[in-house]
Amino acid sequence: MIFEQLAGNLFQGLILGAVYGMATMGLSLIFGVLKVVNVGHGAFVMVGAFIAFWLFSALGINPVLAIPVAFAIGLGLGLLFYYTVIQRLIKAPELATLLATFSIGVLLQEVIKLMFGSEFRGYNWAVGKIDLGITVLPVSKLLACLGSVAIAVLLYLWFNRTRAGSAMRSVVEDSEGARVCGVNVGAAYAWSFALGIGLTVASGVLLTMFIPVGINPYMGGGYTLKAFVIAVLGGLSSPYGAFFGGLVFGLIENGSYTLFALLPGVEPFALTRFLSFVILLIILLIRPTGLLARK
């Protein structure tokens, strides 16, 4: 019985891990290009969750159609915060960008609180379930996973098949060399930040398709922690590594929850969060560049 339950939870963890990975790609992209650690990451995930909630509850638009809307809003927010805040701090000490992104996150939380209130919210998008034998999978979770994979593939094609993507990769490799070759480095920085934020906001929609309850202005903290663990696991500057790191993290999270639930007198959810910190510390001690990063 326990093995069947563990197998089902591991499969669910793999599906959730794809969403986690996509949610972390924006964080890794921003660090890879600008070397800015976005500690306000979870607040942008929260914005995406509220976009999905509002479009569904107020306009009846299902979460799948909310993804491009959230991505477009994320691009706009990314450009806004880049030109008003981040651009001035590109060459500043790392502490300055940490404080700036933290402040942006707090600002977003308070703005959303003023608009929607601080209570928990959710929506019910019932589109059926699929019985796989080892587990029953809601179709909404499957759509969230497929959406994450599709976005990851599109990002890969954009980076490797377009001139803009090649220019951005050249900035990552050598910004001064790219500037000499005619690449507009400033524009590459701006669009890298905007793309990273767009991906992060869109991931908030995907996460609500998986977990459509618990939407509130302060929900982002847990996702920020998970994103940093996943980013370090996959290589902090690699969006693709982040995606595969998310798959690994999803397996660890759901698998450990099943095993922790067997222990008497403990709270499995709290222990899985504790395990996240332990994994982060171990990876940083053993391989700071990430387990999946290329040498």
Side-chain angles (χ1 to χ4, degrees), residues 134-194:
I134 59 173
T135 187
V136 177
L137 182 67
V139 174
S140 59
K141 294 184 178 182
L142 179 60
L143 291 175
C145 176
L146 294 176
S148 300
V149 173
I151 291 172
V153 170
L154 288 173
L155 184 66
Y156 175 82
L157 294 174
W158 184 81
F159 267 120
N160 292 277
R161 300 294 176 85
T162 67
R163 293 186 63 184
S166 298
M168 197 172 292
R169 286 191 293 115
S170 70
V171 172
V172 175
E173 295 293 332
D174 183 357
S175 60
E176 292 304 319
R179 195 188 305 275
V180 170
C181 293
V183 175
N184 188 335
V185 175
Y189 282 159
W191 284 104
S192 297
F193 190 81

Short mmCIF file of all heavy atoms in Angstrom, two decimals, residues 134-194:
data_model
loop_
_atom_site.label_atom_id
_atom_site.label_comp_id
_atom_site.label_asym_id
_atom_site.label_seq_id
_atom_site.Cartn_x
_atom_site.Cartn_y
_atom_site.Cartn_z
N ILE A 134 -2.11 4.25 -10.36
CA ILE A 134 -1.35 4.56 -9.14
C ILE A 134 -1.80 5.87 -8.51
O ILE A 134 -1.53 6.12 -7.33
CB ILE A 134 0.17 4.63 -9.44
CG1 ILE A 134 0.45 5.70 -10.49
CG2 ILE A 134 0.69 3.28 -9.84
CD1 ILE A 134 1.93 5.93 -10.72
N THR A 135 -2.51 6.71 -9.27
CA THR A 135 -2.99 7.99 -8.75
C THR A 135 -4.09 8.52 -9.65
O THR A 135 -4.22 8.09 -10.81
CB THR A 135 -1.85 9.02 -8.65
OG1 THR A 135 -2.31 10.19 -7.99
CG2 THR A 135 -1.35 9.40 -10.03
N VAL A 136 -4.88 9.42 -9.11
CA VAL A 136 -5.91 10.11 -9.89
C VAL A 136 -5.42 11.52 -10.15
O VAL A 136 -5.16 12.28 -9.22
CB VAL A 136 -7.26 10.13 -9.15
CG1 VAL A 136 -8.29 10.92 -9.96
CG2 VAL A 136 -7.76 8.70 -8.90
N LEU A 137 -5.25 11.87 -11.42
CA LEU A 137 -4.65 13.15 -11.79
C LEU A 137 -5.71 14.09 -12.35
O LEU A 137 -6.31 13.81 -13.39
CB LEU A 137 -3.55 12.93 -12.84
CG LEU A 137 -2.79 14.17 -13.30
CD1 LEU A 137 -1.95 14.71 -12.16
CD2 LEU A 137 -1.91 13.85 -14.50
N PRO A 138 -5.96 15.22 -11.68
CA PRO A 138 -6.86 16.22 -12.27
C PRO A 138 -6.32 16.74 -13.60
O PRO A 138 -5.11 16.94 -13.76
CB PRO A 138 -6.88 17.33 -11.21
CG PRO A 138 -6.50 16.66 -9.94
CD PRO A 138 -5.50 15.60 -10.33
N VAL A 139 -7.21 16.96 -14.53
CA VAL A 139 -6.79 17.43 -15.86
C VAL A 139 -6.13 18.80 -15.75
O VAL A 139 -5.22 19.11 -16.52
CB VAL A 139 -8.01 17.49 -16.80
CG1 VAL A 139 -7.64 18.11 -18.14
CG2 VAL A 139 -8.57 16.09 -17.02
N SER A 140 -6.55 19.62 -14.80
CA SER A 140 -5.95 20.94 -14.64
C SER A 140 -4.46 20.84 -14.33
O SER A 140 -3.65 21.63 -14.81
CB SER A 140 -6.66 21.73 -13.54
OG SER A 140 -6.60 21.04 -12.30
N LYS A 141 -4.07 19.83 -13.52
CA LYS A 141 -2.65 19.64 -13.21
C LYS A 141 -1.88 19.20 -14.45
O LYS A 141 -0.74 19.63 -14.68
CB LYS A 141 -2.49 18.61 -12.09
CG LYS A 141 -3.04 19.05 -10.75
CD LYS A 141 -2.76 18.02 -9.67
CE LYS A 141 -3.27 18.48 -8.31
NZ LYS A 141 -2.97 17.50 -7.24
N LEU A 142 -2.50 18.32 -15.24
CA LEU A 142 -1.85 17.88 -16.47
C LEU A 142 -1.66 19.05 -17.42
O LEU A 142 -0.60 19.19 -18.05
CB LEU A 142 -2.70 16.80 -17.13
CG LEU A 142 -2.17 16.25 -18.47
CD1 LEU A 142 -0.79 15.62 -18.28
CD2 LEU A 142 -3.15 15.23 -19.05
N LEU A 143 -2.67 19.93 -17.53
CA LEU A 143 -2.55 21.11 -18.40
C LEU A 143 -1.46 22.05 -17.90
O LEU A 143 -0.73 22.64 -18.71
CB LEU A 143 -3.89 21.84 -18.47
CG LEU A 143 -5.02 21.11 -19.20
CD1 LEU A 143 -6.32 21.89 -19.08
CD2 LEU A 143 -4.67 20.89 -20.67
N ALA A 144 -1.33 22.17 -16.57
CA ALA A 144 -0.27 23.02 -16.02
C ALA A 144 1.10 22.47 -16.37
O ALA A 144 2.01 23.21 -16.74
CB ALA A 144 -0.43 23.12 -14.50
N CYS A 145 1.24 21.15 -16.28
CA CYS A 145 2.52 20.52 -16.64
C CYS A 145 2.83 20.71 -18.12
O CYS A 145 3.95 21.08 -18.49
CB CYS A 145 2.47 19.03 -16.29
SG CYS A 145 3.94 18.10 -16.79
N LEU A 146 1.84 20.44 -18.97
CA LEU A 146 2.05 20.59 -20.41
C LEU A 146 2.35 22.04 -20.78
O LEU A 146 3.19 22.31 -21.65
CB LEU A 146 0.81 20.11 -21.17
CG LEU A 146 0.51 18.61 -21.07
CD1 LEU A 146 -0.80 18.28 -21.78
CD2 LEU A 146 1.66 17.79 -21.65
N GLY A 147 1.68 22.98 -20.10
CA GLY A 147 1.97 24.39 -20.33
C GLY A 147 3.40 24.74 -19.96
O GLY A 147 4.07 25.50 -20.66
N SER A 148 3.88 24.20 -18.85
CA SER A 148 5.25 24.46 -18.41
C SER A 148 6.26 23.92 -19.42
O SER A 148 7.23 24.60 -19.77
CB SER A 148 5.49 23.82 -17.04
OG SER A 148 4.63 24.34 -16.07
N VAL A 149 6.02 22.70 -19.88
CA VAL A 149 6.93 22.10 -20.87
C VAL A 149 6.91 22.90 -22.16
O VAL A 149 7.96 23.16 -22.77
CB VAL A 149 6.54 20.64 -21.13
CG1 VAL A 149 7.37 20.06 -22.27
CG2 VAL A 149 6.73 19.80 -19.87
N ALA A 150 5.73 23.32 -22.60
CA ALA A 150 5.61 24.09 -23.84
C ALA A 150 6.36 25.41 -23.74
O ALA A 150 7.07 25.82 -24.67
CB ALA A 150 4.14 24.34 -24.17
N ILE A 151 6.24 26.09 -22.60
CA ILE A 151 6.93 27.37 -22.42
C ILE A 151 8.44 27.16 -22.40
O ILE A 151 9.20 27.94 -22.98
CB ILE A 151 6.45 28.05 -21.12
CG1 ILE A 151 5.00 28.50 -21.29
CG2 ILE A 151 7.33 29.25 -20.78
CD1 ILE A 151 4.36 29.01 -20.01
N ALA A 152 8.90 26.08 -21.74
CA ALA A 152 10.34 25.79 -21.70
C ALA A 152 10.88 25.52 -23.10
O ALA A 152 11.96 25.98 -23.46
CB ALA A 152 10.60 24.60 -20.79
N VAL A 153 10.12 24.78 -23.91
CA VAL A 153 10.55 24.49 -25.29
C VAL A 153 10.58 25.77 -26.12
O VAL A 153 11.53 26.00 -26.89
CB VAL A 153 9.62 23.44 -25.92
CG1 VAL A 153 9.90 23.30 -27.42
CG2 VAL A 153 9.78 22.09 -25.23
N LEU A 154 9.56 26.60 -25.98
CA LEU A 154 9.53 27.86 -26.73
C LEU A 154 10.70 28.76 -26.34
O LEU A 154 11.30 29.41 -27.20
CB LEU A 154 8.20 28.59 -26.47
CG LEU A 154 6.96 27.98 -27.12
CD1 LEU A 154 5.70 28.70 -26.65
CD2 LEU A 154 7.07 28.02 -28.65
N LEU A 155 11.03 28.78 -25.04
CA LEU A 155 12.17 29.59 -24.60
C LEU A 155 13.47 29.06 -25.20
O LEU A 155 14.33 29.83 -25.64
CB LEU A 155 12.26 29.59 -23.08
CG LEU A 155 13.36 30.48 -22.48
CD1 LEU A 155 13.06 31.95 -22.76
CD2 LEU A 155 13.47 30.25 -20.96
N TYR A 156 13.61 27.73 -25.25
CA TYR A 156 14.81 27.13 -25.84
C TYR A 156 14.91 27.50 -27.33
O TYR A 156 15.99 27.88 -27.81
CB TYR A 156 14.75 25.62 -25.68
CG TYR A 156 15.89 24.89 -26.37
CD1 TYR A 156 17.13 24.78 -25.75
CD2 TYR A 156 15.73 24.35 -27.64
CE1 TYR A 156 18.18 24.13 -26.38
CE2 TYR A 156 16.77 23.70 -28.28
CZ TYR A 156 18.00 23.60 -27.65
OH TYR A 156 19.04 22.96 -28.29
N LEU A 157 13.81 27.39 -28.05
CA LEU A 157 13.82 27.73 -29.47
C LEU A 157 14.13 29.21 -29.68
O LEU A 157 14.85 29.57 -30.61
CB LEU A 157 12.48 27.36 -30.11
CG LEU A 157 12.15 25.86 -30.17
CD1 LEU A 157 10.74 25.66 -30.70
CD2 LEU A 157 13.17 25.12 -31.04
N TRP A 158 13.58 30.06 -28.81
CA TRP A 158 13.82 31.49 -28.95
C TRP A 158 15.29 31.81 -28.74
O TRP A 158 15.87 32.60 -29.48
CB TRP A 158 12.96 32.25 -27.95
CG TRP A 158 13.06 33.73 -28.10
CD1 TRP A 158 12.42 34.53 -29.01
CD2 TRP A 158 13.89 34.62 -27.34
NE1 TRP A 158 12.78 35.84 -28.85
CE2 TRP A 158 13.68 35.93 -27.83
CE3 TRP A 158 14.78 34.43 -26.28
CZ2 TRP A 158 14.33 37.03 -27.31
CZ3 TRP A 158 15.43 35.53 -25.75
CH2 TRP A 158 15.21 36.81 -26.26
N PHE A 159 15.91 31.20 -27.74
CA PHE A 159 17.32 31.45 -27.47
C PHE A 159 18.22 30.94 -28.58
O PHE A 159 19.27 31.54 -28.86
CB PHE A 159 17.73 30.79 -26.15
CG PHE A 159 17.63 31.70 -24.96
CD1 PHE A 159 16.81 31.39 -23.90
CD2 PHE A 159 18.37 32.87 -24.90
CE1 PHE A 159 16.71 32.23 -22.81
CE2 PHE A 159 18.28 33.72 -23.81
CZ PHE A 159 17.45 33.39 -22.76
N ASN A 160 17.85 29.85 -29.22
CA ASN A 160 18.75 29.19 -30.16
C ASN A 160 18.39 29.38 -31.63
O ASN A 160 19.22 29.05 -32.49
CB ASN A 160 18.80 27.68 -29.85
CG ASN A 160 19.46 27.38 -28.53
OD1 ASN A 160 20.68 27.31 -28.42
ND2 ASN A 160 18.65 27.20 -27.48
N ARG A 161 17.21 29.92 -31.92
CA ARG A 161 16.79 30.05 -33.31
C ARG A 161 16.50 31.48 -33.74
O ARG A 161 16.13 31.70 -34.90
CB ARG A 161 15.54 29.19 -33.56
CG ARG A 161 15.75 27.69 -33.27
CD ARG A 161 16.73 27.06 -34.23
NE ARG A 161 16.98 25.66 -33.90
CZ ARG A 161 16.24 24.65 -34.30
NH1 ARG A 161 15.15 24.88 -35.03
NH2 ARG A 161 16.55 23.42 -33.97
N THR A 162 16.63 32.44 -32.85
CA THR A 162 16.35 33.83 -33.20
C THR A 162 17.57 34.70 -32.97
O THR A 162 18.43 34.38 -32.14
CB THR A 162 15.16 34.39 -32.38
OG1 THR A 162 15.54 34.49 -31.00
CG2 THR A 162 13.93 33.49 -32.51
N ARG A 163 17.65 35.81 -33.69
CA ARG A 163 18.78 36.73 -33.54
C ARG A 163 18.77 37.39 -32.16
O ARG A 163 19.82 37.59 -31.55
CB ARG A 163 18.74 37.80 -34.63
CG ARG A 163 18.97 37.27 -36.03
CD ARG A 163 19.05 38.40 -37.04
NE ARG A 163 20.19 39.27 -36.77
CZ ARG A 163 20.47 40.38 -37.45
NH1 ARG A 163 19.67 40.74 -38.45
NH2 ARG A 163 21.52 41.11 -37.16
N ALA A 164 17.56 37.72 -31.68
CA ALA A 164 17.46 38.34 -30.36
C ALA A 164 17.95 37.39 -29.27
O ALA A 164 18.65 37.80 -28.33
CB ALA A 164 16.03 38.77 -30.09
N GLY A 165 17.58 36.12 -29.39
CA GLY A 165 18.04 35.14 -28.42
C GLY A 165 19.54 34.94 -28.48
O GLY A 165 20.21 34.83 -27.45
N SER A 166 20.09 34.91 -29.69
CA SER A 166 21.55 34.77 -29.83
C SER A 166 22.26 35.99 -29.26
O SER A 166 23.33 35.86 -28.63
CB SER A 166 21.91 34.60 -31.31
OG SER A 166 21.33 33.42 -31.84
N ALA A 167 21.70 37.17 -29.46
CA ALA A 167 22.30 38.37 -28.90
C ALA A 167 22.31 38.32 -27.38
O ALA A 167 23.29 38.69 -26.73
CB ALA A 167 21.54 39.61 -29.39
N MET A 168 21.23 37.82 -26.81
CA MET A 168 21.15 37.73 -25.36
C MET A 168 22.18 36.73 -24.83
O MET A 168 22.82 36.95 -23.81
CB MET A 168 19.74 37.33 -24.94
CG MET A 168 19.44 37.59 -23.47
SD MET A 168 17.68 37.30 -23.10
CE MET A 168 16.93 38.65 -24.02
N ARG A 169 22.34 35.61 -25.53
CA ARG A 169 23.33 34.63 -25.11
C ARG A 169 24.74 35.20 -25.22
O ARG A 169 25.62 34.90 -24.40
CB ARG A 169 23.21 33.36 -25.94
CG ARG A 169 21.99 32.53 -25.59
CD ARG A 169 22.00 31.14 -26.22
NE ARG A 169 21.88 31.20 -27.66
CZ ARG A 169 22.81 30.81 -28.52
NH1 ARG A 169 23.96 30.35 -28.07
NH2 ARG A 169 22.60 30.89 -29.83
N SER A 170 24.98 36.02 -26.22
CA SER A 170 26.31 36.62 -26.36
C SER A 170 26.61 37.58 -25.21
O SER A 170 27.75 37.69 -24.77
CB SER A 170 26.41 37.36 -27.70
OG SER A 170 25.61 38.53 -27.71
N VAL A 171 25.58 38.26 -24.72
CA VAL A 171 25.76 39.16 -23.57
C VAL A 171 26.12 38.36 -22.33
O VAL A 171 26.94 38.78 -21.51
CB VAL A 171 24.49 40.00 -23.34
CG1 VAL A 171 24.59 40.79 -22.04
CG2 VAL A 171 24.26 40.94 -24.51
N VAL A 172 25.52 37.17 -22.18
CA VAL A 172 25.85 36.30 -21.05
C VAL A 172 27.30 35.87 -21.12
O VAL A 172 28.03 35.87 -20.11
CB VAL A 172 24.92 35.07 -21.03
CG1 VAL A 172 25.34 34.11 -19.92
CG2 VAL A 172 23.48 35.50 -20.84
N GLU A 173 27.78 35.51 -22.31
CA GLU A 173 29.15 35.03 -22.47
C GLU A 173 30.18 36.15 -22.27
O GLU A 173 31.16 35.98 -21.56
CB GLU A 173 29.33 34.43 -23.88
CG GLU A 173 28.51 33.18 -24.13
CD GLU A 173 28.96 32.01 -23.29
OE1 GLU A 173 30.15 31.95 -22.92
OE2 GLU A 173 28.10 31.16 -22.96
N ASP A 174 29.93 37.30 -22.88
CA ASP A 174 30.91 38.41 -22.79
C ASP A 174 30.20 39.69 -23.21
O ASP A 174 30.04 39.96 -24.41
CB ASP A 174 32.11 38.12 -23.71
CG ASP A 174 33.19 39.19 -23.61
OD1 ASP A 174 33.00 40.18 -22.87
OD2 ASP A 174 34.23 39.05 -24.27
N SER A 175 29.78 40.47 -22.24
CA SER A 175 29.00 41.67 -22.55
C SER A 175 29.81 42.69 -23.34
O SER A 175 29.29 43.33 -24.26
CB SER A 175 28.47 42.31 -21.26
OG SER A 175 29.54 42.68 -20.41
N GLU A 176 31.09 42.85 -23.01
CA GLU A 176 31.92 43.81 -23.74
C GLU A 176 32.17 43.35 -25.16
O GLU A 176 32.15 44.14 -26.11
CB GLU A 176 33.24 44.03 -23.00
CG GLU A 176 33.10 44.74 -21.66
CD GLU A 176 32.39 46.07 -21.80
OE1 GLU A 176 32.67 46.80 -22.77
OE2 GLU A 176 31.55 46.39 -20.93
N GLY A 177 32.43 42.07 -25.34
CA GLY A 177 32.62 41.54 -26.69
C GLY A 177 31.36 41.68 -27.52
O GLY A 177 31.42 42.00 -28.71
N ALA A 178 30.20 41.43 -26.88
CA ALA A 178 28.93 41.59 -27.59
C ALA A 178 28.72 43.04 -28.00
O ALA A 178 28.24 43.32 -29.11
CB ALA A 178 27.78 41.11 -26.70
N ARG A 179 29.11 43.98 -27.12
CA ARG A 179 28.96 45.40 -27.45
C ARG A 179 29.82 45.78 -28.65
O ARG A 179 29.39 46.52 -29.54
CB ARG A 179 29.35 46.24 -26.23
CG ARG A 179 28.91 47.71 -26.32
CD ARG A 179 29.50 48.50 -25.16
NE ARG A 179 29.19 47.92 -23.86
CZ ARG A 179 28.09 48.15 -23.19
NH1 ARG A 179 27.17 48.97 -23.69
NH2 ARG A 179 27.90 47.59 -22.00
N VAL A 180 31.04 45.25 -28.70
CA VAL A 180 31.95 45.52 -29.81
C VAL A 180 31.38 44.98 -31.12
O VAL A 180 31.54 45.58 -32.19
CB VAL A 180 33.34 44.92 -29.53
CG1 VAL A 180 34.22 44.98 -30.77
CG2 VAL A 180 34.01 45.65 -28.37
N CYS A 181 30.67 43.86 -31.03
CA CYS A 181 30.09 43.23 -32.23
C CYS A 181 28.77 43.87 -32.65
O CYS A 181 28.12 43.40 -33.59
CB CYS A 181 29.89 41.74 -32.00
SG CYS A 181 31.42 40.81 -31.82
N GLY A 182 28.36 44.93 -31.96
CA GLY A 182 27.16 45.66 -32.37
C GLY A 182 25.90 45.31 -31.62
O GLY A 182 24.81 45.80 -31.98
N VAL A 183 26.00 44.49 -30.59
CA VAL A 183 24.81 44.13 -29.80
C VAL A 183 24.47 45.27 -28.86
O VAL A 183 25.35 45.82 -28.19
CB VAL A 183 25.06 42.83 -29.01
CG1 VAL A 183 23.86 42.53 -28.10
CG2 VAL A 183 25.32 41.67 -29.95
N ASN A 184 23.20 45.64 -28.82
CA ASN A 184 22.73 46.66 -27.89
C ASN A 184 22.60 46.01 -26.51
O ASN A 184 21.58 45.42 -26.17
CB ASN A 184 21.39 47.22 -28.35
CG ASN A 184 20.95 48.41 -27.53
OD1 ASN A 184 21.34 48.57 -26.37
ND2 ASN A 184 20.13 49.27 -28.12
N VAL A 185 23.66 46.12 -25.72
CA VAL A 185 23.71 45.44 -24.43
C VAL A 185 22.64 45.96 -23.49
O VAL A 185 22.01 45.20 -22.74
CB VAL A 185 25.12 45.58 -23.81
CG1 VAL A 185 25.15 44.97 -22.41
CG2 VAL A 185 26.15 44.91 -24.69
N GLY A 186 22.40 47.27 -23.51
CA GLY A 186 21.38 47.85 -22.64
C GLY A 186 20.00 47.27 -22.93
O GLY A 186 19.25 46.93 -22.00
N ALA A 187 19.67 47.14 -24.21
CA ALA A 187 18.37 46.56 -24.58
C ALA A 187 18.31 45.09 -24.21
O ALA A 187 17.26 44.59 -23.77
CB ALA A 187 18.14 46.73 -26.08
N ALA A 188 19.45 44.38 -24.36
CA ALA A 188 19.48 42.97 -23.97
C ALA A 188 19.24 42.81 -22.47
O ALA A 188 18.51 41.90 -22.04
CB ALA A 188 20.83 42.36 -24.35
N TYR A 189 19.83 43.69 -21.67
CA TYR A 189 19.59 43.66 -20.23
C TYR A 189 18.11 43.90 -19.93
O TYR A 189 17.50 43.19 -19.12
CB TYR A 189 20.43 44.72 -19.53
CG TYR A 189 21.88 44.37 -19.35
CD1 TYR A 189 22.83 45.37 -19.14
CD2 TYR A 189 22.33 43.06 -19.37
CE1 TYR A 189 24.17 45.07 -18.96
CE2 TYR A 189 23.66 42.75 -19.20
CZ TYR A 189 24.58 43.76 -18.99
OH TYR A 189 25.90 43.44 -18.81
N ALA A 190 17.54 44.92 -20.56
CA ALA A 190 16.15 45.28 -20.29
C ALA A 190 15.21 44.14 -20.64
O ALA A 190 14.32 43.76 -19.86
CB ALA A 190 15.78 46.54 -21.06
N TRP A 191 15.39 43.55 -21.82
CA TRP A 191 14.48 42.50 -22.26
C TRP A 191 14.73 41.19 -21.53
O TRP A 191 13.81 40.37 -21.38
CB TRP A 191 14.55 42.32 -23.77
CG TRP A 191 13.82 43.41 -24.48
CD1 TRP A 191 14.35 44.49 -25.14
CD2 TRP A 191 12.40 43.56 -24.56
NE1 TRP A 191 13.35 45.29 -25.61
CE2 TRP A 191 12.15 44.75 -25.29
CE3 TRP A 191 11.32 42.81 -24.10
CZ2 TRP A 191 10.85 45.20 -25.55
CZ3 TRP A 191 10.03 43.26 -24.36
CH2 TRP A 191 9.81 44.44 -25.07
N SER A 192 15.96 40.98 -21.07
CA SER A 192 16.23 39.79 -20.25
C SER A 192 15.47 39.88 -18.94
O SER A 192 14.83 38.91 -18.50
CB SER A 192 17.73 39.66 -19.97
OG SER A 192 18.45 39.46 -21.15
N PHE A 193 15.52 41.06 -18.31
CA PHE A 193 14.79 41.24 -17.06
C PHE A 193 13.29 41.13 -17.29
O PHE A 193 12.58 40.47 -16.52
CB PHE A 193 15.14 42.60 -16.45
CG PHE A 193 14.64 42.78 -15.05
CD1 PHE A 193 15.34 42.24 -13.98
CD2 PHE A 193 13.47 43.48 -14.80
CE1 PHE A 193 14.86 42.40 -12.68
CE2 PHE A 193 12.99 43.64 -13.50
CZ PHE A 193 13.70 43.09 -12.44
N ALA A 194 12.81 41.76 -18.36
CA ALA A 194 11.38 41.71 -18.66
C ALA A 194 10.93 40.28 -18.96
O ALA A 194 9.87 39.83 -18.49
CB ALA A 194 11.07 42.61 -19.85
#
